[in-house]
Each structure stands twice: as structure tokens, then as C-alpha cells.
């Protein structure tokens, strides 16, 4: 049985309430989850979480969700990346709420080829709006930006061509940059 099919079976079994399948799934995909975590933490400054801590926090959040209708491996990795992003946002908000901490929490990005600082809360708001308009583009952003995957890897995960991912990525970046400018005004 191929790895993709085995992963699909584990997702279906977890959806059915099988905790052993859930644990096996996390074990199987742990290396990929660590890679996503490392990519997120590379762009996030002033964070005390380790890659393992971030994966574990996200896993705990995913486990608490009741019977997710997992579609496939890509859906699982995208939801994991989103959960990790939420952990970072919550962690940043907690630090921001601390009276002694007055630094704006930012990510460094290269959306337009040059490094830019983007407020994590504003990015989250923009991504929520993008997902409401076009969930596929939001998934591509999460996998590329937060998951650290290249165009070919995203295409493989989503089952679309690399050129489609490239086109959607370009469109999503432009939309996000406009949305972030609107939020900052």
C-alpha cells in the first residue's frame, strides 16, 4: 500500500474515532510537521517556542477538534499549518498584552521581492478574508508562506499543476498586499 493511501486510511480511521490511527498519523507526518514549524519560526522573531513545542501545541488543538472531516494529506498539513499559525498568533497576542512588552509582533516576508515587516494580527485578518473569498488561494498561501513548501510541493499536495499554483500564488500575494495596506490605513 502506498504512503498516500495509508495516510488516507489513517485520516478516515481518525475521523471514525480511532485514536491509534490518529497517533500513527502524527508519527508518520511528524518530520513534515517539524519542517512546517521550522519555516514558521524562521520568520517569527522574539519567539520562545521550539519547533517541537509548536508542533505539539498545534497537535493538541487539532486533537481537541471533534471529528474533522479530513479530506486528504494536503488538508491535514494545511490545517496543521493553520493550527501552528494560530498558536503563534495566540503566543504573540499574549506577549503583546503584557504591559512590559510594547514591541509590535511582526513577520518578515518577501511578498514583493524585498523584505517587509507585516503585523501578524493583520496578516491573520487578511487570510481569513481571503479564505472566505477563495479557500484554495488561502491554502496555497498557508502551504507556501507558513509551510515553507515550494510551488511543485504545493502542486503535488493539492493535486494541481505547478503553473496553476504559481498563478494562484501570484494572485493571492497581490490580494494580500492590497488587503494589508487597507488594514494599515
Amino acid at each position: 500500500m502506498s504512503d498516500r493511501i495509508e495516510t488516507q486510511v489513517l485520516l478516515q480511521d481518525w475521523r471514525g474515532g480511532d485514536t491509534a490511527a490518529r497517533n500513527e498519523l502524527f508519527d508518520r507526518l511528524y518530520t513534515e510537521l517539524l519542517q512546517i514549524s521550522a519555516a514558521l519560526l524562521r520568520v517569527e522573531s522574539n519567539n520562545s517556542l521550539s519547533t517541537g513545542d509548536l508542533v505539539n501545541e498545534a497537535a493538541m488543538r487539532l486533537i481537541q477538534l471533534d471529528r474533522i472531516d479530513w479530506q486528504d494529506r494536503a488538508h491535514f498539513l494545511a490545517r496543521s499549518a493553520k493550527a501552528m499559525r494560530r498558536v503563534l498568533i495566540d503566543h504573540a497576542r499574549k506577549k503583546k498584552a503584557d504591559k512590559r512588552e510594547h514591541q509590535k509582533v511582526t513577520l518578515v516576508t518577501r511578498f514583493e521581492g524585498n523584505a517587509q515587516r507585516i503585523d501578524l494580527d493583520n496578516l491573520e485578518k487578511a487570510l481569513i478574508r481571503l479564505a472566505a473569498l477563495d479557500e484554495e488561494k488561502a491554502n496555497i498561501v498557508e502551504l507556501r508562506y507558513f509551510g515553507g513548501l515550494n510551488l511543485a510541493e504545493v502542486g503535488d499536495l493539492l493535486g494541481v499543476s505547478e503553473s496553476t499554483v504559481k498563478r494562484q500564488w501570484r494572485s493571492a500575494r497581490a490580494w494580500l498586499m492590497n488587503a494589508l495596506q487597507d488594514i494599515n490605513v
Side-chain angles (χ1 to χ4, degrees):
M1 192 181 313
S2 76
D3 189 46
R4 184 170 283 213
I5 293 171
E6 288 177 12
T7 299
Q8 189 68 30
V9 169
L10 290 172
L11 287 167
Q12 289 171 353
D13 291 348
W14 180 14
R15 187 178 351 162
D18 184 349
T19 57
R22 178 198 69 205
N23 295 340
E24 174 67 21
L25 180 71
F26 279 108
D27 286 345
R28 256 178 212 267
L29 299 177
Y30 189 71
T31 302
E32 290 176 72
L33 294 171
L34 283 175
Q35 290 171 345
I36 292 169
S37 174
L40 284 166
L41 289 171
R42 264 194 304 276
V43 295
E44 173 62 34
S45 62
N46 298 326
N47 200 314
S48 60
L49 294 172
S50 71
T51 55
D53 290 341
L54 185 54
V55 169
N56 291 336
E57 285 287 326
M60 293 306 296
R61 289 180 184 208
L62 290 172
I63 289 168
Q64 291 174 0
L65 298 176
D66 190 30
R67 306 236 172 144
I68 297 173
D69 187 18
W70 297 111
Q71 297 164 10
D72 54 20
R73 182 173 169 270
H75 181 233
F76 175 78
L77 291 174
R79 284 296 296 256
S80 297
K82 186 180 285 190
M84 287 182 218
R85 188 177 82 240
R86 293 294 321 155
V87 168
L88 286 175
I89 288 167
D90 291 347
H91 190 40
R93 284 181 179 157
K94 183 179 177 195
K95 285 176 79 173
K96 196 174 186 180
D98 184 352
K99 300 279 185 213
R100 294 168 284 156
E101 183 68 47
H102 296 289
Q103 274 188 320
K104 189 173 187 178
V105 178
T106 59
L107 291 172
V108 176
T109 181
R110 295 188 182 279
F111 273 135
E112 293 180 345
N114 54 351
Q116 296 180 340
R117 290 187 128 358
I118 296 177
D119 181 75
L120 193 55
D121 280 337
N122 290 344
L123 179 59
E124 175 67 7
K125 290 173 189 170
L127 276 173
I128 289 169
R129 287 177 44 213
L130 178 60
L133 295 170
D134 190 329
E135 192 169 348
E136 182 178 34
K137 285 182 183 159
N139 284 338
I140 289 170
V141 170
E142 288 176 353
L143 292 169
R144 286 273 297 144
Y145 186 66
F146 295 107
L149 302 179
N150 65 37
L151 296 171
E153 292 168 329
V154 172
D156 287 343
L157 281 175
L158 298 180
V160 297
S161 70
E162 186 175 342
S163 61
T164 298
V165 173
K166 187 175 184 177
R167 193 170 45 256
Q168 296 281 44
W169 170 242
R170 209 176 356 209
S171 174
R173 275 192 338 224
W175 188 92
L176 281 172
M177 291 312 297
N178 285 334
L180 289 169
Q181 288 173 354
D182 289 347
I183 290 171
N184 289 327
V185 171

